[in-house]
């Protein structure tokens, strides 16, 4: 099964996956074999990376990176995947984000490309999209940037109140994974 599980992770530039990424890929493969209702959708999907992030002294979070082109297909079955993976990794929150490309301000001048830099490739848009990926399936209903006297900025993210029951336990995870934000349900 390790050979079949290795097909569930395809690293960028053909790099070798580390031990934790192989473990997550193995669990995804086992999930594909055991959960018949999501097997057709999950059989065509793979991940590009997985990493474990410290949330607090006792909690950890798992961030799974997927190719941008597969994100919409992951979103269709994401609640089931996350529920099952959180059972396999007890005490850890699982989040899925897409790999996105940020192009610098001098993109059009430097590369001689046709046309300006696409808005979807700017730093701000990529950061906003990653934030939306982290809180999926909940929607972001508002954002407030608080500038303090010492020059620090805090982004307060307002999430959809109808999902507050499901998200209450994940709020510290969201704020520690995205250090510039402070989510509130």
């Amino acid at each position: 099964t390790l050979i079949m599980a290795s097909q569930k992770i395809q690293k960028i530039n053909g790099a070798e996956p580390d031990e934790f990424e192989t473990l997550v890929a193995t669990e995804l493969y086992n999930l594909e074999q055991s959960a018949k209702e999501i097997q057709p959708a999950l059989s065509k999907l793979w991940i590009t990376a997985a990493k474990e992030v410290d949330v607090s002294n006792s909690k950890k979070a798992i961030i799974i990176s997927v190719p941008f082109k597969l994100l919409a297909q992951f979103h269709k079955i994401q609640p089931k995947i996350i529920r099952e993976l959180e059972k396999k990794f007890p005490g850890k929150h699982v989040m899925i984000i897409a790999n996105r490309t940020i192009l610098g301000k001098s993109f059009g001048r430097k590369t001689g490309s046709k046309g300006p830099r696409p808005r979807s490739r700017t730093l701000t848009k990529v950061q906003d999209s990653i934030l939306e990926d982290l809180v999926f399936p909940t929607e972001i209903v508002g954002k407030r940037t608080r500038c303090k006297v010492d020059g620090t900025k805090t982004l307060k993210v307002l999430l959809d109140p109808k999902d507050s029951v499901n998200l209450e336990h994940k709020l510290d995870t969201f704020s520690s994974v995205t250090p510039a934000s402070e989510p509130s349900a």
Side-chain angles (χ1 to χ4, degrees):
T1 60
L2 193 57
I3 295 169
M4 295 302 288
S6 65
Q7 294 175 351
K8 284 288 166 199
I9 183 162
Q10 296 178 11
K11 298 285 284 180
I12 298 172
N13 299 330
E16 286 295 315
D18 64 19
E19 187 177 324
F20 182 71
E21 291 172 333
T22 307
L23 177 65
V24 172
T26 306
E27 291 301 334
L28 274 174
Y29 176 74
N30 293 340
L31 179 60
E32 178 187 334
Q33 299 305 312
S34 62
K36 296 299 178 194
E37 70 272 2
I38 61 173
Q39 183 186 19
L42 193 54
S43 64
K44 301 174 193 140
L45 303 177
W46 67 88
I47 65 172
T48 55
K51 67 179 179 179
E52 201 170 24
V53 180
D54 288 327
V55 175
S56 63
N57 53 4
S58 62
K59 287 187 177 178
K60 292 186 183 282
I62 299 172
I63 300 177
I64 299 174
S65 300
V66 300
F68 178 74
K69 291 182 177 183
L70 298 179
L71 184 65
Q73 295 170 334
F74 265 102
H75 278 339
K76 291 177 185 173
I77 57 173
Q78 183 168 339
K80 293 176 185 169
I81 291 175
I82 288 180
R83 189 177 334 109
E84 294 299 322
L85 285 177
E86 285 179 350
K87 287 179 192 172
K88 303 281 187 188
F89 300 104
K92 298 177 184 175
H93 293 137
V94 178
M95 290 172 266
I96 297 175
I97 62 170
N99 292 335
R100 289 188 164 82
T101 305
I102 299 172
L103 298 175
K105 288 184 176 182
S106 62
F107 167 72
R109 294 182 291 254
K110 199 168 34 174
T111 60
S113 68
K114 296 181 173 54
R117 168 179 66 158
R119 292 266 189 251
S120 63
R121 303 287 197 281
T122 62
L123 175 68
T124 307
K125 182 65 177 171
V126 168
Q127 288 175 339
D128 288 345
S129 299
I130 289 174
L131 190 60
E132 289 173 11
D133 289 350
L134 286 174
V135 300
F136 185 84
T138 304
E139 291 186 19
I140 297 174
V141 294
K143 293 180 189 171
R144 308 282 186 271
T145 304
R146 184 177 295 157
C147 300
K148 295 186 180 173
V149 179
D150 62 355
T152 60
K153 291 183 180 182
T154 303
L155 178 66
K156 185 173 186 174
V157 178
L158 305 171
L159 301 174
D160 198 349
K162 70 176 175 138
D163 295 328
S164 64
V165 175
N166 301 336
L167 289 176
E168 206 61 43
H169 63 284
K170 285 190 172 185
L171 290 179
D172 4 328
T173 305
F174 294 149
S175 59
S176 66
V177 170
T178 55
S181 65
E182 174 185 307
S184 62

